[in-house]
Amino acid sequence: AKMDANILTKKWLTGPLGMKDSRWAVRPWQTSVRTDANRYGFATTARDLARFGILMLANGNWEKKNVIEDKAYLKAAISPSQKLNPSYGYLWWLNVNRPKTAGNNRGGRMTFAAPADMYAAKGALVRRLYVLPTQQVVITRLGAQPAKDFDSQLFKRLKQAITK
């Protein structure tokens, strides 16, 4: 595209969605010696991240504009992308049933308490974007590292709140 990553992202995605507080940022802890992560990370706010989730719920449309035109890709992105781990789509984690394997002796869904059609973007420090299509709900979570069972507890409590 021959554009700076921030200019390209603003033109194609963050600009049309009104994501004013999102950008690509250099990760200062990432060096040429460490190769366990990308040199850049996407810095955003919970509100901006929620806008992206709403775009996914709307099948790539935003305010009557088609922001993501490739609907086949959107469908594929939230479908299992390979057999090794059917919980992984294209950059999305899926809450589908998965078989027991050597690396996953539990099997079943990623988050049992969450709806089966939920999919999520998962980042460092348990930063999350949950999309619940049946409920038409988007949930974001940023902040410090929570307890290990955060996902499970969140959806158990959400389910209790909805049924009361």
Side-chain angles (χ1 to χ4, degrees):
K2 298 181 182 179
M3 289 185 205
D4 172 81
N6 280 309
I7 293 170
L8 177 68
T9 303
K10 184 175 183 176
K11 179 179 179 180
W12 286 359
L13 182 67
T14 59
L17 299 184
M19 295 171 68
K20 296 178 187 208
D21 297 311
S22 298
R23 71 195 181 296
W24 292 102
V26 173
R27 292 176 168 159
W29 50 268
Q30 180 62 21
T31 65
S32 60
V33 177
R34 283 185 68 181
T35 58
D36 60 341
N38 294 323
R39 177 140 167 72
Y40 294 89
F42 194 67
T44 189
T45 62
R47 183 179 300 268
D48 277 6
L49 190 56
R51 287 174 177 267
F52 186 70
I54 293 167
L55 176 73
M56 292 299 293
L57 277 179
N59 197 34
N61 298 312
W62 187 265
E63 295 182 349
K64 300 182 182 178
K65 291 181 184 171
N66 201 5
V67 176
I68 301 176
E69 294 181 18
D70 190 345
K71 305 307 180 194
Y73 173 77
L74 285 174
K75 185 176 181 181
I78 56 172
S79 300
S81 62
Q82 34 75 29
K83 292 180 182 177
L84 182 63
N85 184 351
S87 294
Y88 194 65
Y90 296 127
L91 301 177
W92 292 99
W93 288 100
L94 316 173
N95 203 28
V96 299
N97 279 319
R98 55 192 174 168
K100 289 183 180 182
T101 63
N104 173 24
N105 61 5
R106 183 174 68 128
R109 293 199 326 233
M110 176 177 54
T111 305
F112 288 98
D117 66 342
M118 183 267 297
Y119 53 95
K122 295 182 167 192
L125 303 175
V126 193
R127 294 178 180 132
R128 299 282 193 261
L129 169 58
Y130 304 99
V131 180
L132 291 71
T134 302
Q135 291 78 11
Q136 290 290 290
V137 170
V138 169
I139 302 168
T140 61
R141 188 225 170 261
L142 303 177
Q145 183 87 28
K148 283 187 177 186
D149 65 342
F150 174 81
D151 290 327
S152 179
Q153 289 299 317
L154 170 70
F155 285 102
K156 282 179 185 174
R157 291 176 184 181
L158 185 61
K159 192 174 187 178
Q160 288 172 346
I162 290 171
T163 57
K164 287 185 178 180

